């Protein structure tokens, strides 16, 4: 690699040696994520993973892809890059766990205006942490230096994951019926959706993001908004082993009104007890600062609920017990009713 230099390419704004340095700096983070299936080192043309399907009657691969979105603008403004990688992983693995899939591996893609190896390694440290939290191996990725396309101090971050589930264990929403119970798993904050609205509400380019806010219990806007997306993989995998789960929804962009219906069949809806919900202070502040109607808040943000789970009424207590044993402060937020309205608040 020492001989791989191009003065002409460097004059155009691309330092390929910076890419090599970034890879060296990120190797220790990647090593943390290694699992039994990994059979290649980072740096090849493809990430290799040996699939173990022992004990599965009909293994199904499940994939998911996503990015961090405009939450990255907050990272740029505060020069905090260590947690956005967790967001990137979370947005992918939280999707595939809705199908009951155990994440196997993850790959990331970072496109930047200028490759600053230390910053790239910081970003990847967050990706690695997300992989550790979800049990996925980080087996590859790509860093693309694109001067003139991205500003020098900005980047985009996206990725994808692949998981596996035995087909018989995939939640079947067709089994959902009246009086089934809807369980909430609390979110850690805004997660990674709605940030175009958040940025407009707070005029983030012109406000003090790091000052403590009384409305946030003396937490700064930066700390509240950059709180990484919670990863629900391990508690949900434990739940799938003990209880028959009928449906799972990851509450992302579109909030309650778009996401909860994705796991409920036609003819049924979720009746949500509004008083049972536990919205975090950041949501009250967003609503007040932006004069945002309640329906819009529930149609844009997770409002304190990162995941919704549907189980039979008779399985509700067992489900809550398993989730709480796995450090989730789960609670019942509603029930399934016969309705053409997919989400109803009472």
């Amino acid at each position: 690699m020492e001989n791989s230099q191009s003065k002409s390419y460097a004059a155009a704004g691309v330092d390929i040696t910076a890419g090599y340095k970034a890879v060296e700096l990120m190797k220790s983070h990647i090593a943390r994520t290694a699992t039994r299936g990994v059979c290649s080192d980072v740096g090849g043309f493809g990430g290799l993973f040996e699939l173990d399907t022992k004990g599965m009657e009909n293994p199904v691969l499940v994939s998911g892809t996503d990015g961090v979105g405009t939450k990255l603008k907050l990272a740029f403004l505060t020069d905090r890059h260590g947690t956005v990688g967790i967001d990137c992983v979370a947005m992918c693995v939280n999707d595939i766990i809705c199908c009951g899939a155990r994440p196997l591996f993850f790959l990331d893609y970072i496109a930047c205006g200028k490759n600053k190896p230390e910053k790239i390694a910081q970003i990847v440290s967050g990706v690695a942490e997300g992989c550790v939290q979800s049990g996925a191996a980080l087996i590859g990725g790509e860093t693309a230096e694109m001067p003139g396309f991205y500003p020098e101090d900005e980047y985009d971050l996206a990725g994808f994951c692949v998981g596996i589930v035995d087909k018989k264990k995939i939640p079947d929403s067709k089994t959902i019926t009246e009086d089934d119970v809807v369980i909430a798993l609390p979110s850690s904050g805004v997660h990674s959706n709605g940030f175009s609205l958040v940025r407009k509400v707070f005029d983030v380019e012109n406000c003090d993001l790091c000052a403590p806010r009384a409305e946030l219990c003396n937490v700064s806007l930066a700390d509240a908004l950059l709180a990484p997306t919670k990863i629900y993989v391990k508690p949900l995998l434990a739940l799938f082993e003990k209880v028959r789960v009928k449906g799972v929804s990851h509450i992302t962009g579109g909030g309650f009104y778009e996401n909860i219906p994705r796991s409920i069949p036609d003819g049924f809806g979720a009746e949500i007890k509004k008083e049972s919900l536990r919205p975090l202070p950041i949501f009250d502040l967003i609503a007040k600062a932006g004069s945002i109607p309640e329906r819009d808040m529930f149609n844009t943000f997770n409002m304190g609920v990162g995941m919704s789970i549907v189980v039979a009424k008779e399985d509700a207590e067992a489900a809550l017990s398993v989730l709480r044993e796995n450090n989730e402060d789960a609670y019942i937020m509603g029930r399934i009713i016969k309705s053409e309205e997919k989400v109803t608040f009472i």
Side-chain angles (χ1 to χ4, degrees):
M1 294 298 185
E2 292 180 3
N3 293 325
S4 181
Q5 300 178 11
S6 171
K7 292 181 180 179
S8 299
Y9 211 3
V14 179
D15 183 358
I16 55 178
T17 61
Y20 304 145
K21 183 179 180 182
V23 171
E24 287 303 313
L25 291 175
M26 66 178 72
K27 280 185 175 178
S28 62
H29 302 301
I30 295 169
R32 295 178 57 218
T33 75
T35 61
R36 190 172 57 187
V38 177
C39 48
S40 65
D41 293 326
V42 171
F45 289 100
L48 305 180
F49 193 91
E50 186 175 2
L51 194 59
D52 181 3
T53 60
K54 293 187 188 73
M56 291 189 177
E57 294 178 15
N58 194 354
V60 176
L61 293 179
V62 184
S63 59
T65 186
D66 210 336
V68 182
T70 63
K71 183 176 185 175
L72 291 176
K73 286 286 190 180
L74 278 295
F76 306 154
L77 290 167
T78 58
D79 196 27
R80 300 185 188 183
H81 310 284
T83 60
V84 290
I86 300 175
D87 290 301
C88 188
V89 175
M91 295 303 290
C92 299
V93 298
N94 284 346
D95 276 354
I96 71 167
I97 193 61
C98 293
C99 301
R102 173 174 59 88
L104 297 173
F105 57 82
F106 188 88
L107 283 85
D108 61 4
Y109 176 78
I110 305 169
C112 57
K114 184 174 179 59
N115 189 332
K116 298 179 180 179
E118 290 77 13
K119 180 188 284 188
I120 298 299
Q122 190 179 5
I123 297 165
V124 174
S125 73
V127 175
E129 174 59 27
C131 288
V132 169
Q133 290 184 24
S134 61
L138 180 55
I139 64 171
E142 174 69 14
T143 302
E145 191 173 18
M146 302 169 67
F149 194 85
Y150 291 95
E152 187 171 298
D153 291 324
E154 296 190 4
Y155 57 86
D156 198 7
L157 173 62
F160 80 93
C161 64
V162 174
I164 192 168
V165 61
D166 200 342
K167 190 173 183 178
K168 66 184 180 182
K169 292 186 177 182
I170 299 173
D172 183 2
S173 64
K174 295 185 184 68
T175 65
I176 290 176
T177 190
E178 191 174 17
D179 286 332
D180 282 347
V181 169
V182 184
I183 294 173
L185 298 188
S187 69
S188 55
V190 183
H191 284 183
S192 299
N193 294 100
F195 274 85
S196 294
L197 179 55
V198 166
R199 288 165 42 237
K200 180 177 183 292
V201 165
F202 294 117
D203 189 17
V204 295
E205 284 82 4
N206 299 301
C207 78
D208 188 348
L209 289 169
C210 297
R213 294 268 189 145
E215 308 98 319
L216 300 175
C217 304
N218 290 323
V219 170
S220 70
L221 263 181
D223 287 339
L225 294 173
L226 283 171
T229 305
K230 194 171 185 180
I231 292 175
Y232 300 95
V233 169
K234 292 180 180 179
L236 277 170
L237 286 176
L239 181 65
F240 285 124
E241 288 297 316
K242 301 285 182 66
V243 175
R244 183 169 70 104
V245 177
K246 296 186 175 188
V248 183
S249 288
H250 182 198
I251 312 302
T252 56
F256 281 53
Y257 287 104
E258 179 185 322
N259 292 289
I260 290 179
R262 293 165 70 177
S263 64
I264 299 175
D266 291 341
F268 294 93
E271 183 183 74
I272 306 297
K273 292 183 179 178
K274 197 179 298 182
E275 66 179 17
S276 72
L277 301 177
R278 306 170 186 176
L280 300 165
I282 186 61
F283 297 109
D284 290 333
L285 182 57
I286 291 170
K288 290 175 183 176
S291 298
I292 301 172
E294 184 179 73
R295 194 187 192 286
D296 286 0
M297 291 296 297
F298 278 97
N299 203 34
T300 305
F301 301 106
N302 66 61
M303 297 300 286
V305 179
M307 286 276 189
S308 69
I309 303 164
V310 179
V311 298
K313 186 176 181 179
E314 60 268 22
D315 292 331
E317 286 305 316
L320 291 171
S321 178
V322 171
L323 291 165
R324 289 166 182 167
E325 286 170 5
N326 285 272
N327 302 312
E328 283 296 331
D329 190 17
Y331 62 93
I332 294 173
M333 68 173 180
R335 68 188 183 103
I336 299 297
I337 60 173
K338 287 184 177 180
S339 175
E340 295 305 316
E341 289 286 334
K342 284 299 185 180
V343 178
T344 305
F345 289 96
I346 60 169

